[in-house]
Amino acid sequence: MECGDECLTYEEADARANRLARYLIGRGAGPETVVAVAAPRSLDMVIAVLAVLKSGATYLPIDMAYPPSRIGFMLRDARPLAVVTTGHTLRDLGCDDVPPVVLDDPDTAATIAVLTGSAVTDADRVHPLRPLHPAYLIYTSGSTGTPKGVAVPHAGIASLALTQADRFDVGEGSRVLQLASPGFDVSMMELVMAVATGATLIVPPARTLVGEDLAVVLRDQRISHAVMSPTVLGSIPDGAFPDLRTLIIGIEACPGELVQRWSVGRRMVNAYGPTEATVYVTATGQLSGPDVPPIGGPIAGMRVYVVDGGLGLVPVGVVGELYVAGVGLA
């Protein structure tokens, strides 16, 4: 993984995440507990996420760009055991009720550094970790009312990893862009796409990337795989992106002209899914042409049905409601 001039091998990242996971376990973290992560975009942020997952606890992302009222609501509602953060971010967090783990505190860093970096197993955890234990907790936007915490199990992540390795041509040598906000479940999709396949995760500078700024990152960082909304994709000016070989779009309907413009010479896929499943539940094959793309078919471990008001399957071409089933459900 890379962030600016900082680079970590998988061996280095794994050892750092294992040490932090052991520290969190010593603080009581484990299956069915929640640990928040509020850190600037950095490799430390990625290590913190991996450490929470390794401990068996549920990862709660805190996006510091959110209003303080929303951050306070999430922390009160989720009641995390601890928040992994930095000294600067802690001052902005404005929450005295959650015990902090301050990564850049000298005493904390020294304590973590002497822990073993070997693999964390159930023998180390406070309780055995099972596939249906929650892996991460993502809050909905709250556009239809109070934001709701959605707890997604580890089992769904396994299916997500399998689908991405199979459909997106990602693996050793690939360079995956970490573009999404940590408070958005697509960020988990990007992380899994990289670390589950041996690809390199590229964490760009701590700022919103759109338009020409995003184009520069795609070219200079030789990004091969990226996930983005059609709105963000449409902001990128015309130009050559020779390394970008797989582009996954989602979040909103994609205009056909974007498909026609961006699908030439690369794999372009449309993915769809609600927060209440593991990032996405359907995906297309290769897109092309000027038509608005469909949402595709179910990914590994998932099933989808279009039903009527009585929950009966509707005929092909008849409008209905989409029902989702499978291991990816929250």
Side-chain angles (χ1 to χ4, degrees), residues 14-15 179 218 312:
D14 191 46
L179 179 64
L218 291 173

Side-chain angles (χ1 to χ4, degrees), residues 169-194:
D169 186 29
V170 58
E172 186 177 349
S174 301
R175 295 174 65 82
V176 179
L177 179 63
Q178 204 288 290
L179 179 64
S181 154
F184 189 34
D185 59 0
V186 171
S187 64
M188 182 59 68
M189 173 184 175
E190 295 164 337
L191 177 64
V192 171
M193 194 189 309

